[in-house]
Amino acid sequence: MSDLLRSLTWRYQDFYLKETYTNTIMIRKNYHLLLLLGLALLTACNQPRPERSCETYAEADDPNVSDADWSAVKGLNFSFGTTDKRYAKSDIPDVEPSVDWNGSGWRGERVSAQLVLWSDQPVDQVEFEFSPFKSADGSTLDASIGQARFVRYVLTDIFAEGCGHRKPEDFPVSLSADALDHVDCFDMAANTTQPVWLSFDIPSDATPGVYTSTLNLYARNEPARELKISLEVIPQTLPAPKDWAFHLDMWQHPSAIARVHNVEVWSEEHWELMKTPMKMLADAGQKVITTNVNKDPWNNQTYDPYEDMITWTKKTDGTWEYDYTIFDRWVNFMMGLGVDKQINCYSLLPWNHEIHYMDGVSGEMVNVSAKPGTEVFAELWTPFLRSFRDHLEAKGWLAFTNIAMDERSPEEMKEALQLLETVVPEMGVALADNHKSYREYPMLKDICVAYGASFDDKDLKFRKENGLISTYYVCCSDKFPNIFTFSDPSEAVFMGWYAMAAGLDGYLHWSYNSWTENPLTDSRFRTWPAGDTYVIYPDGRSSIRFERIKEGIQDAEKIRILREKFTAASDTEKLRKLEEEIARFNIEEAPEIPCAELVNHGKQVLDELSR
C-alpha cells in the first residue's frame, strides 16, 4: 500500500470513528430524552384526574328489595349491554362480558348503544372520554360525535286497566331506567347498577367506512379502563330532521316548563328555559306547533293547566278584542327552532265546552259554557274565528294553520264543522279521531286515528291522492305498542315502522312534556299508566324512550329513501325484500315474536339493503 493510500485510509478511519462516536453519543442522548418523555407521559397518564363534585338530583329510593348477592361482584365491573333492555338498579345485570361494541349507521343518523356499570362498592366521579374516530384510509371524525349520558331511575307502575283514575297504593311500584342525565360525572352507590347511554351523531359529510375509537372510563381511585368502539358509516345519507317526510306531532306544553322551574309564565326566563327542550323536539323532526285559542282545551287533564295564548276581551260597547301577542311569539319561537310545517290550534271543541274572556265592564274573567249547536256557541266563536283568520292571513300563516279537535263525538264534530264552513271556510281542520268520524269529512287536512282503528284502504288512498295528512296515535288504552316508563324500549322504535307498514304519514303523541308533580323522580300520574304524560325530563334531559322514538323515525326515513331509490332503479328484488320486511310490522296486537327481535331484524335488513 502506497504512503498516499495509507494516509487516506487512516484519515477515513479516524473520520469514521469520530463520526460513529458522535452518533453514538447523540443516540444515547436521544434515547435518554425519549425515555424521560415516556416516563413523564406515563406518570401523567397514571395521575388521578382532578377531583370535582358530581352533583345532580337525587333519585327516589328503590321500593323493591333485591336478593342479589353483591358480595361476589368485587369492585367496579362494566360491559356493553343492549338498548332493548332497562337494567334494574338493585340487581346485578345479566350481560355477556364485552368491552367491544360494533354499530353502523347512515350519514346524518344518530346511533345508540348502552354500557352497563355495576359495583359492590361506592365508586365516585365516574367519567367518560372518547378518542377521535379513525378509519383505515386516514379519515377522521371528531371525538365530539360521541356522547355518554348517565341513565337515571324514575318511579313507575304497571298498565293494569290502562285509562282511568288510579291511586298509587293500588298499583305495584318500581324503579325504571329512563331519564338521561347530562352531567359530566356521576357518583355510584354501592350494590347498584348504573347504565350509561351512548350516542353517536354521524356527520352528514362523513366519508363512508369503518371508524374505530376508544372510550376511556375513569373513576376516582380506580385505574383507567378502555373500551373499543367500531362504527361503520354506510354510504347513504339522511336529510336534516327539518326535511324528514315523517309527520311527527308531539303536543308541547309551555306552562309545565314554567312551573317546574318556578318562573312566571311567558316571562323572559320562561322563554329562555324553553329553548333546549323545544330544540330537542325540532331535532326529532317535529312538524306541528301546538297552540291553544282560549281556555285550557283539555279541562286541566294534566298536572299543569294550559295557559292562555290568546286573550279575549269583550269591550264595554259589546265588541270583541283579541290579543295575539303570546300566540305570535310562540309560533315565531318554534319556527325559529325549525318547526314550521303546521300550526294546530286547540280547540273549537274544548272538553268541557267552556271558554272564557275578560269582561270590559267588570274587569274580571268570565266563564261561559258554549256547547256545539247552541246559540251562544255561534255567538262567541263567530267573531273570533273571523278575526283569527284575518290575523293568520296577515302573518302569512293561514295556509298551514288548522283548527284542531281531540277525540270529539261525531255529533259535536258536525256542529263545529258546519260553523267553520259557514264562517271561515278557508280554515283547515285537524282531528285526533277515535270514532272514525273522518269518514264523514274526507277532506280534513290532518286526521290522526287511534291505533287499531286504521283507515279504510279506499279512504287512505283518497287522502294520499289529495295531499292530506294521515297519522295514528296511541294513548292510555294501548298496552302495546306504547312508550310508558315501563314499556319495552323497542316499542318506541316500532312506532316508526308501523306508520310505514300501515301506509301512514307519521305519528302523534298527546304530550311531549306535560310533567307530573315531580317528573325527575316519579312518572306516575293520577289518571293513566306511568310515563304517558311526558317523554322528556326537565332541564333538557332526554330519555331512553325519546331516543328510541327518534330511532324509529330515522328508520322510517330510510325506508322512504330506499323505496324511492329502488323504484327509480327498477330494482324489483330489493324492493320486494324491503316491502316484505315492512309488512311484518302491520299488526294491531303484540307480535308473536318479541318486539325487540322484530325491530332488530328489520334494522338488519335495512342495513343490508343500504350497503
Side-chain angles (χ1 to χ4, degrees):
M1 183 183 296
S2 67
D3 291 340
L4 177 59
L5 181 58
R6 187 178 291 110
S7 175
L8 290 173
T9 301
W10 287 345
R11 289 180 182 179
Y12 173 77
Q13 288 175 344
D14 183 56
F15 169 80
Y16 176 79
L17 289 172
K18 287 180 179 179
E19 192 69 19
T20 301
Y21 176 77
T22 302
N23 289 339
T24 300
I25 296 299
M26 292 299 295
I27 289 171
R28 286 178 179 174
K29 287 182 177 180
N30 289 337
Y31 172 77
H32 287 299
L33 179 60
L34 290 171
L35 181 61
L36 288 171
L37 286 172
L39 289 172
L41 289 171
L42 185 60
T43 302
C45 289
N46 286 326
Q47 283 182 345
R49 294 167 73 83
E51 290 190 11
R52 57 181 177 142
S53 172
C54 299
E55 291 185 6
T56 185
Y57 68 92
E59 295 171 356
D61 293 334
D62 195 338
N64 297 319
V65 178
S66 172
D67 58 2
D69 181 11
W70 283 92
S71 64
V73 171
K74 307 302 181 186
L76 178 61
N77 291 259
F78 54 95
S79 178
F80 284 108
T82 170
T83 57
D84 295 323
K85 187 171 182 178
R86 301 182 190 275
Y87 293 93
K89 183 176 183 178
S90 300
D91 289 336
I92 300 169
D94 180 16
V95 292
E96 292 291 333
S98 172
V99 294
D100 297 278
W101 178 84
N102 298 281
S104 60
W106 287 23
R107 291 172 292 197
E109 181 179 359
R110 168 171 285 188
V111 180
S112 298
Q114 191 166 205
L115 177 68
V116 190
L117 315 179
W118 66 101
S119 175
D120 66 323
Q121 301 294 323
V123 183
D124 291 336
Q125 198 176 323
V126 178
E127 300 176 89
F128 293 95
E129 186 176 59
F130 289 95
S131 70
F133 293 72
K134 298 180 179 179
S135 69
D137 67 359
S139 298
T140 302
L141 302 177
D142 195 82
S144 62
I145 74 163
Q147 182 184 18
R149 287 173 287 182
F150 297 93
V151 180
R152 306 301 303 279
Y153 291 86
V154 63
L155 291 171
T156 190
D157 53 24
I158 62 172
F159 182 76
E161 300 302 319
C163 306
H165 286 273
R166 47 177 65 198
K167 297 178 181 178
E169 59 269 22
D170 294 340
F171 298 85
V173 59
S174 61
L175 283 181
S176 177
D178 190 54
L180 303 185
D181 210 348
H182 41 46
V183 291
D184 293 330
C185 64
F186 191 80
D187 296 333
M188 285 181 61
N191 300 337
T192 59
T193 288
Q194 178 56 60
V196 180
W197 197 263
L198 306 178
S199 301
F200 307 97
D201 291 311
I202 304 175
S204 58
D205 59 353
T207 302
V210 176
Y211 293 78
T212 58
S213 171
T214 299
L215 176 59
N216 296 299
L217 164 60
Y218 304 104
R220 192 181 300 169
N221 301 321
E222 294 276 350
R225 275 89 164 195
E226 289 187 352
L227 299 101
K228 300 299 181 184
I229 305 291
S230 178
L231 178 62
E232 180 189 1
V233 177
I234 294 174
Q236 303 283 351
T237 305
L238 281 176
K242 69 181 299 294
D243 297 321
W244 291 350
F246 191 93
H247 191 86
L248 179 64
D249 182 5
M250 287 192 165
W251 295 353
Q252 308 101 57
H253 196 159
S255 51
I257 296 174
R259 189 265 305 175
V260 163
H261 292 281
N262 195 28
V263 300
E264 184 181 349
V265 177
W266 311 128
S267 64
E268 292 306 314
E269 294 89 347
H270 185 201
W271 289 105
E272 188 64 29
L273 286 164
M274 288 193 289
K275 286 181 180 178
T276 297
M278 295 309 159
K279 182 63 167 61
M280 289 166 57
L281 183 57
D283 288 344
Q286 174 74 8
K287 297 294 184 286
V288 186
I289 304 170
T290 308
T291 68
N292 52 294
V293 294
N294 194 273
K295 190 177 180 181
D296 188 328
W298 293 282
N299 191 29
N300 294 1
Q301 71 164 342
T302 52
Y303 186 85
D304 301 288
Y306 278 75
E307 297 292 339
D308 289 0
M309 289 185 177
I310 302 172
T311 303
W312 297 27
T313 300
K314 189 173 186 180
K315 298 190 292 185
T316 55
D317 62 359
T319 60
W320 289 92
E321 182 176 80
Y322 307 100
D323 185 349
Y324 298 107
T325 304
I326 298 299
F327 176 87
D328 291 350
R329 184 167 180 180
W330 172 246
V331 170
N332 281 315
F333 173 82
M334 292 298 289
M335 286 184 171
L337 296 175
V339 183
D340 56 8
K341 301 300 182 187
Q342 191 169 310
I343 306 168
N344 280 359
C345 306
Y346 295 89
S347 174
L348 187 62
L349 298 174
W351 279 19
N352 63 350
H353 303 124
E354 280 192 359
I355 61 176
H356 65 184
Y357 61 84
M358 176 65 69
D359 181 68
V361 176
S362 66
E364 296 179 352
M365 294 298 293
V366 176
N367 288 299
V368 179
S369 177
K371 292 184 178 181
T374 63
E375 187 175 336
V376 69
F377 179 76
E379 287 179 353
L380 289 173
W381 281 108
T382 295
F384 169 76
L385 289 171
R386 287 175 175 157
S387 170
F388 191 42
R389 174 201 57 197
D390 295 344
H391 180 76
L392 292 169
E393 191 167 30
K395 301 292 291 187
W397 299 339
L398 180 60
F400 53 90
T401 298
N402 298 314
I403 296 295
M405 273 75 79
D406 178 30
E407 295 184 338
R408 300 297 82 202
S409 69
E411 295 77 20
E412 289 185 348
M413 283 296 301
K414 181 179 180 180
E415 296 290 343
L417 293 174
Q418 283 180 350
L419 179 66
L420 289 169
E421 180 62 28
T422 301
V423 177
V424 283
E426 309 92 337
M427 290 291 300
V429 176
L431 170 65
D433 181 19
N434 61 347
H435 296 90
K436 287 213 169 187
S437 299
Y438 77 85
R439 291 174 173 172
E440 301 296 322
Y441 317 105
M443 286 303 293
L444 298 188
K445 285 189 176 180
D446 179 358
I447 295 179
C448 184
V449 296
Y451 183 80
S454 55
F455 288 94
D456 293 338
D457 292 342
K458 180 181 177 182
D459 295 327
L460 188 58
K461 182 174 182 292
F462 172 85
R463 295 188 61 78
K464 285 183 178 294
E465 289 174 347
N466 287 277
L468 305 172
I469 299 296
S470 308
T471 60
Y472 80 102
Y473 70 97
V474 299
C475 63
C476 56
S477 62
D478 298 301
K479 187 173 184 179
F480 174 91
N482 219 308
I483 50 174
F484 305 121
T485 42
F486 53 79
S487 296
D488 184 326
S490 63
E491 292 178 30
V493 186
F494 178 93
M495 302 294 193
W497 283 82
Y498 176 77
M500 303 308 287
L504 302 173
D505 298 304
Y507 166 72
L508 176 152
H509 190 73
W510 78 273
S511 185
Y512 174 62
N513 67 302
S514 286
W515 288 320
T516 56
E517 182 177 7
N518 300 298
L520 286 170
T521 57
D522 195 344
S523 66
R524 296 172 297 171
F525 192 58
R526 62 178 181 250
T527 321
W528 306 293
D532 192 40
T533 69
Y534 63 103
V535 296
I536 64 159
Y537 292 80
D539 292 309
R541 293 178 176 91
S542 185
S543 69
I544 288 177
R545 295 174 293 152
F546 187 59
E547 294 297 312
R548 302 222 69 189
I549 287 171
K550 184 172 180 178
E551 187 180 320
I553 295 171
Q554 290 178 153
D555 288 347
E557 284 299 296
K558 291 180 182 180
I559 290 169
R560 175 184 64 81
I561 292 169
L562 291 177
R563 269 177 171 166
E564 293 173 356
K565 178 181 178 181
F566 298 154
T567 301
S570 299
D571 194 333
T572 55
E573 179 58 27
K574 287 185 177 180
L575 189 59
R576 179 193 62 78
K577 187 172 184 179
L578 177 63
E579 297 297 347
E580 285 181 354
E581 189 62 28
I582 298 167
R584 301 175 70 210
F585 290 81
N586 197 5
I587 52 178
E588 295 181 354
E589 296 180 359
E592 295 180 2
I593 62 173
C595 184
E597 185 177 332
L598 179 67
V599 164
N600 289 330
H601 188 274
K603 287 178 167 295
Q604 182 181 345
V605 171
L606 277 185
D607 274 4
E608 291 171 357
L609 294 174
S610 299
R611 290 188 172 92

